[in-house]
Amino acid sequence: MNDAQRTELEAAAYRRLVAHLQQRTDVQNIDLMNLAGFCRNCLSKWYKAAADERGIELSLDAAREGVYGMPYDQWKAQHQKEASAEQQAAFAKGTPHA
């Protein structure tokens, strides 16, 4: 596999991950953070950081919209639920933040 093929496969896997997260609105960001140590917001920030490193103009809002599939405030209003005491306790135990 050459570098171009690897980049193509990585991009395809990223797009599939984003599509999966857009479909699974039942999975809250705090659940992702507690289980995997990253969430949709982390992914958005990594995407923006990659753009910044390459001198590509991309706002955090645009990066978030790309990951969430809609403006972030709209996603929060439609899908974000209040974190339970258990979720907050698990998060407070020291989930590494990306």
Side-chain angles (χ1 to χ4, degrees):
M1 177 184 324
N2 63 38
D3 286 344
Q5 290 168 323
R6 182 180 50 79
T7 299
E8 244 181 83
L9 295 176
E10 290 169 351
Y14 170 81
R15 288 189 296 271
R16 189 165 183 177
L17 172 63
V18 167
H20 181 76
L21 291 173
Q22 288 174 359
Q23 291 174 336
R24 291 298 311 268
T25 58
D26 60 310
V27 178
Q28 297 293 298
N29 281 334
I30 195 163
D31 295 324
L32 291 169
M33 286 298 296
N34 287 341
L35 293 172
F38 82 99
C39 68
R40 292 171 183 89
N41 286 324
C42 299
L43 196 56
S44 302
K45 290 175 186 176
W46 298 338
Y47 191 63
K48 180 178 177 359
D52 290 347
E53 289 168 6
R54 289 157 181 79
I56 299 169
E57 190 173 325
L58 179 69
S59 70
L60 181 55
D61 286 340
R64 280 183 171 157
E65 189 165 339
V67 169
Y68 283 90
M70 64 182 69
Y72 180 52
D73 288 338
Q74 181 183 347
W75 192 92
K76 287 193 311 184
Q78 289 180 359
H79 303 293
Q80 186 168 308
K81 297 177 174 97
E82 188 71 31
S84 71
E86 294 81 16
Q87 288 169 317
Q88 291 177 11
F91 184 78
K93 281 186 180 177
T95 301
H97 300 283

